[in-house]
Amino acid sequence: MCGISGFISKRRITLEDLTAMNDTMYHRGPNDSGVEIYDGAGGYAVGFAQRRLSIMDLSPLGHQPMHAADKRVSVVFNGEIYNFQELKKEFSGYPFCSQCDTEVILAAYEKWGIDCVSRFNGMFAIALYDRDAQEVYLVRDRIGKKPLYYWEDGENLVFASELKPILACPGFDRKLNPDILPVFLYQQYIPEPDTIFEQVKKLCPGTILRFRLQPDNGQKRRECFSYWSIKESYQKGIADPVTDFSQAKAELKAILQKSVKSRMEADVPLGTFLSGGYDSSLMTAMAQEASEAPVKTFSIGFEEKQYDESGYASAVAKHLGTQHTEEIIREKQMLELVESIPQYFDEPMADSSEIPTMLVSALARKQVTVALSGDGGDEFFCGYQMYQKLGQAQKLDAAGALIYGISQLPGLKQANLLGRLPFSVRTIAQNRDKRYKTQLCSDKYLACVKSLTGTDQVRFDRELDYHVKNWQIRRMLLDMDTYLPGDILCKVDRASMKYSLEARCPILDQRVMEYSFRLPHSFKDHNGCQKYILKEIAYDYIPRELLDRKKTGFSVPLDKWLRGPLKNKLTDYASPAFLKQQGLFDADAASKLIADWLGAGDGGAYTGSNYSRIIWAFFIFQQWAERYLQA
């Protein structure tokens, strides 16, 4: 795990400039750094830089930028190639100097060209310079585990693992992307390919960017193309189904075992995050199965007993025989982290679970450098409660259409029949737009965002692209393309790298993801039992009574914080004078919303009037803007 940055530019960017850019990511790689600039064709210079967190081959031989034996190709790389030892057998004539996976990338490119990335099983962001072809490639892994940003400045391009190096690049204009603000307020994160800045993009998962320093006639200087996608992989999977449950369970279990084992390869101490839920417990059980010594496991608990699940994690750890460490977190510790969010999440991120994720990462880093997590289980195996609600909503859709039609009749519309219906009925009745069928929401939240920003176009319009009738499956695919890389994986990457900790996700192995698409949906949601096949595998390791319970999860008390210790700061951000000077939100609407909410708080379950999430996103944005726009 590392941080990479660099440029392809005709503008003068010095070695000192690139070093300063690279060092903004010291936390991503405290063990080593490398900065180099090369002369390219067409008046270009190519700069490559890396901050290294040593995981494989801790010797200086793993230093980056790394060069091929014939010096034709150079690379900087963030992540892990888990099948690099298998790939290495393909290059019997290559003069390897190290035992790290970076060198295998160079050998693979020399043999197969850029198509080599289709053979990599791992998490990665790669920048590669081919001197013969005078081309630079940027590559991001299939599901977006590793981040990669780029800024196009005319005919120049600057890239980095985070925004901070780009912000530090001479000549960068911190011009905000105003169109993304309403999306952020509603979604709580900024989805690919957009960023908070108008001129910066995220490279999408499963995508290659090619930059030609000297394009021939008719060739584009920069182009992006996909080498893997959720949609195509899903279509291939359903064309080759596994219909026998016993076979599916055995094969999926074997694939997961291989995935976990490959992620335990490291030359540094390794452990697992253990919440006591199905996914983390299963990953821990398989890690312990593959280990000769007790695996180190980590969990956090909370003083608020209704949220504290540390006892379940301890029970699972005891059953599996792991070396378990837990810490009970005080509310003060969580509040202290709020101020640091913009420093490490260098574009606005309002998923409040980033705070406990940072805390468990800090705990783990005291003993290990690598931690396995259970991320991806909910999206690929139908785990979220939202999916269950969507199954019910689809069954009621016809009735909802009838209710909506009746409510629009003369007289009934004027009498606001729809507004008098219970929240859940009204939500289903109003869900008439085919583009957003699986993105159920309260009309009040859309109206709230529109009052602040002038638009309510905040949902994803790609649902119909999947050509899937089942709403649960359609939403799962949508989440894999949006929420998983944009929120979950971004959160885990930034929270863990804050402490120079590498997080690995076995469920997001290419083989697991692709196999999941071959499974009938009933193997995932079996008569209302979600993640059914994963649970059945977990029971092979852990007694049902330790796992079968309603998962509480931990929610940061946003209402309490924003109306308590963060109130003064929120009030300052909501000042009409400040907002009018800032010019990003409707000052009167924002001030009124926050003043009313501070007086009344959230409306409660099934009211459609819980505005704390939107106000938290507003608060997080303003805290971010204070650091990056006023700097």
Side-chain angles (χ1 to χ4, degrees), residues 326-576:
E326 71 174 46
E327 181 179 352
I328 301 300
I329 302 299
R330 292 173 289 108
E331 188 172 331
K332 181 182 177 183
Q333 290 173 267
M334 294 189 288
L335 268 169
E336 288 171 350
L337 282 176
V338 172
E339 194 171 336
S340 74
I341 290 173
Q343 181 179 353
Y344 296 97
F345 293 79
D346 48 6
E347 65 177 339
M349 164 63 80
D351 181 341
S352 59
S353 66
E354 63 202 337
I355 295 171
T357 306
M358 285 190 279
L359 288 165
V360 74
S361 296
L363 177 65
R365 189 61 179 93
K366 294 175 183 178
Q367 299 183 44
V368 301
T369 311
V370 176
L372 272 57
S373 80
D375 293 303
D378 289 317
E379 291 82 2
F380 281 87
F381 294 94
C382 197
Y384 291 128
Q385 188 179 17
M386 167 58 73
Y387 301 149
Q388 197 169 60
K389 292 180 178 178
L390 282 171
Q392 298 166 352
Q394 185 170 15
K395 294 175 182 177
L396 296 171
D397 188 50
L402 180 62
I403 293 171
Y404 183 80
I406 293 172
S407 73
Q408 300 303 298
L409 293 173
L412 293 178
K413 186 174 184 179
Q414 285 77 5
N416 191 26
L417 171 65
L418 206 57
R420 298 179 182 182
L421 295 173
F423 170 70
S424 56
V425 176
R426 185 172 71 249
T427 300
I428 291 172
Q430 290 177 322
N431 188 29
R432 297 302 101 212
D433 195 324
K434 293 182 179 180
R435 295 173 298 171
Y436 310 124
K437 279 293 186 182
T438 74
Q439 300 173 69
L440 295 172
C441 69
S442 167
D443 57 330
K444 292 182 181 179
Y445 299 144
L446 294 177
C448 177
V449 171
K450 186 173 183 177
S451 72
L452 298 177
T453 65
T455 181
D456 60 3
Q457 299 303 302
V458 295
R459 291 176 287 180
F460 303 107
D461 60 3
R462 65 177 77 173
E463 277 192 36
L464 298 178
D465 294 345
Y466 300 116
H467 305 291
V468 175
K469 292 182 179 180
N470 183 298
W471 287 13
Q472 286 186 327
I473 299 174
R474 195 192 307 174
R475 179 58 185 264
M476 288 164 64
L477 294 170
L478 181 66
D479 285 345
M480 293 171 203
D481 268 333
T482 57
Y483 178 65
L484 181 58
D487 184 317
I488 298 297
L489 298 181
C490 175
K491 172 191 69 179
V492 173
D493 175 82
R494 302 305 194 281
S496 60
M497 291 312 298
K498 179 181 190 292
Y499 303 99
S500 305
L501 176 75
E502 175 170 290
R504 298 177 175 180
C505 308
I507 294 175
L508 295 178
D509 185 289
Q510 176 191 355
R511 296 164 296 185
V512 177
M513 294 189 294
E514 291 177 349
Y515 192 82
S516 77
F517 294 142
R518 298 179 61 196
L519 303 178
H521 190 60
S522 61
F523 290 3
K524 301 173 185 179
D525 184 348
H526 184 68
N527 297 325
C529 179
Q530 295 177 276
K531 291 199 287 195
Y532 177 66
I533 192 167
L534 281 188
K535 291 178 179 179
E536 289 298 310
I537 295 172
Y539 298 146
D540 289 347
Y541 296 92
I542 303 164
R544 289 174 181 263
E545 57 266 25
L546 293 184
L547 295 173
D548 283 357
R549 67 184 189 280
K550 184 177 180 181
K551 187 170 176 61
T552 304
F554 180 75
S555 299
V556 169
L558 300 180
D559 187 301
K560 178 182 176 183
W561 285 6
L562 290 168
R563 299 173 72 204
L566 301 178
K567 179 180 178 180
N568 289 341
K569 203 168 187 180
L570 175 62
T571 303
D572 289 343
Y573 290 151
S575 159

Side-chain angles (χ1 to χ4, degrees), residues 595-606:
D596 290 348
W597 180 82
L598 285 172
D602 281 341
Y606 302 107

Side-chain angles (χ1 to χ4, degrees), residues 10 58-59 81 83 101 105 112 114-115 155 171 189 227 233 252 269 280 315 339 377 462-464 495 555 600 615 627:
K10 293 182 179 180
L58 309 185
S59 76
I81 308 297
N83 63 335
D101 49 358
I105 295 173
W112 296 307
I114 198 59
D115 289 342
E155 293 186 331
Y189 68 98
Y227 68 92
S233 296
L252 178 60
S280 67
E339 194 171 336
R462 65 177 77 173
E463 277 192 36
L464 298 178
S555 299
I615 292 171
R627 182 181 181 91

